Amino acid sequence: QKEVEQNSGPLSVPEGAIASLNCTYSDRGSQSFFWYRQYSGKSPELIMFIYSNGDKEDGRFTAQLNKASQYVSLLIRDSQPSDSATYLCAVLNDYKLSFGAGTTVTVRA
Amino acid sequence: DVKVTQSSRYLVKRTGEKVFLECVQDMDHENMFWYRQDPGLGLRLIYFSYDVKMKEKGDIPEGYSVSREKKERFSLILESASTNQTSMYLCASIPPAGPNTEAFFGQGTRLTVV
C-alpha cells in the first residue's frame, strides 16, 4: 500500500466551480499534512498545511483533515484558469516527507 | 527568503558515469530530501537526512547514494548512471519538524542519461 494516495485525475472543472481533491495516507502516526501546487516545469509551492482535525480556510482554499479516517482533502472554490496545475498531497511522519502522485486540475474558461 | 539551490538545471550524462547532484540550502535546516519526479508518479523519495552525516533510505534508494558532510549541503550520487534514472530530481529542505513545517524546494535538475 502506498503511503500517500490521491484520487486519480485529471480533473476538469468549469470556471467558478468548486474543485475537490482527495488524499488518503497509510500511517496513522503522521503528524502534518500539506497541499502543494505545481505548474508545469516548476517546483512545487505550498498552498496550505493542516495538522488538526477539521477545516482550515485560506482565501478560496479549504483543507479538511480527518485523522480517524486517515483522509485529507482540498477544496478550491470559485476556480480560476490560473488554478490549472497539478496538486500534490504530502504527509510528514517524523522526519520523512512523502508525496502522493498528484492530481492534475484543468479549469475550463 | 529560504533558498535551496541545485547545482545544475539540466544535465546530460552517459550510461555508466558517476553523477553528482548537489543541493545547498541557506537557512540552517536540519532536514533535507532528494526526490525524483516522473510523469504520473508524483514525487518519490530517494533519500533523506535529518542531520549531518545521517541518512535514511526513502522509498526508491536503489542505484543511489547520498552524502551530508555539512549541514547546508546534501549530495545525491548515481554510482553508475543508467537510462532508467533519466528524470527530474528535486531537492528540498525543511526546518525542525513541527506542525507547520513547510518544505522548500530547489529549482530541480533534469537529468538525461544516454
Side-chain angles (χ1 to χ4, degrees):
Chain A
Q1 182 186 5
K2 290 183 180 178
E3 290 187 50
V4 184
E5 297 209 50
Q6 296 185 235
N7 52 327
S8 58
L11 182 64
S12 180
V13 297
E15 186 173 357
I18 295 174
S20 177
L21 305 170
N22 302 316
C23 174
T24 57
Y25 58 96
S26 61
D27 194 325
R28 194 170 284 278
S30 299
Q31 297 112 3
S32 303
F33 309 87
F34 308 85
W35 283 100
Y36 282 81
R37 176 176 61 199
Q38 187 178 28
Y39 293 113
S40 181
K42 302 291 186 182
S43 295
E45 54 182 349
L46 183 70
I47 301 173
M48 293 188 70
F49 65 87
I50 186 168
Y51 54 89
S52 298
N53 277 327
D55 295 359
K56 181 180 179 182
E57 188 174 314
D58 184 359
R60 295 185 295 109
F61 299 95
T62 299
Q64 300 172 317
L65 174 62
N66 183 326
K67 288 188 177 180
S69 301
Q70 296 174 236
Y71 173 92
V72 58
S73 67
L74 180 71
L75 297 177
I76 307 173
R77 291 185 303 281
D78 188 24
S79 295
Q80 301 297 308
S82 60
D83 294 326
S84 297
T86 296
Y87 290 80
L88 298 161
C89 173
V91 175
L92 183 66
N93 190 353
D94 290 331
Y95 303 110
K96 186 179 181 183
L97 183 65
S98 301
F99 285 79
T103 301
T104 298
V105 174
T106 301
V107 180
R108 308 187 305 270
Chain B
D1 278 355
V2 175
K3 199 161 191 179
V4 180
T5 304
Q6 295 183 227
S7 52
S8 304
R9 188 76 175 95
Y10 299 95
L11 212 51
V12 180
K13 295 293 182 180
R14 295 195 180 278
T15 301
E17 275 193 78
K18 190 168 187 175
V19 181
F20 293 86
L21 302 183
E22 306 285 347
C23 176
V24 177
Q25 49 93 4
D26 65 359
M27 280 301 289
D28 205 34
H29 288 171
E30 280 82 3
N31 306 300
M32 297 186 74
F33 304 80
W34 274 107
Y35 298 90
R36 65 176 283 177
Q37 185 170 30
D38 302 287
L41 297 178
L43 273 69
R44 292 184 291 167
L45 182 61
I46 304 171
Y47 268 96
F48 63 103
S49 169
Y50 54 88
D51 203 350
V52 175
K53 296 192 186 293
M54 303 303 290
K55 58 185 179 185
E56 293 283 344
K57 292 181 179 179
D59 300 315
I60 52 164
E62 296 78 18
Y64 303 94
S65 62
V66 291
S67 173
R68 185 109 182 258
E69 295 297 318
K70 292 185 177 181
K71 193 174 189 179
E72 67 269 20
R73 187 180 297 270
F74 191 36
S75 303
L76 180 69
I77 304 158
L78 285 68
E79 296 291 343
S80 178
S82 64
T83 55
N84 63 12
Q85 292 178 309
T86 291
S87 187
M88 171 66 84
Y89 289 87
L90 286 162
C91 173
S93 75
I94 63 175
N100 57 344
T101 301
E102 174 182 354
F104 296 88
F105 284 88
Q107 77 277 29
T109 297
R110 183 162 294 283
L111 173 67
T112 302
V113 182
V114 297

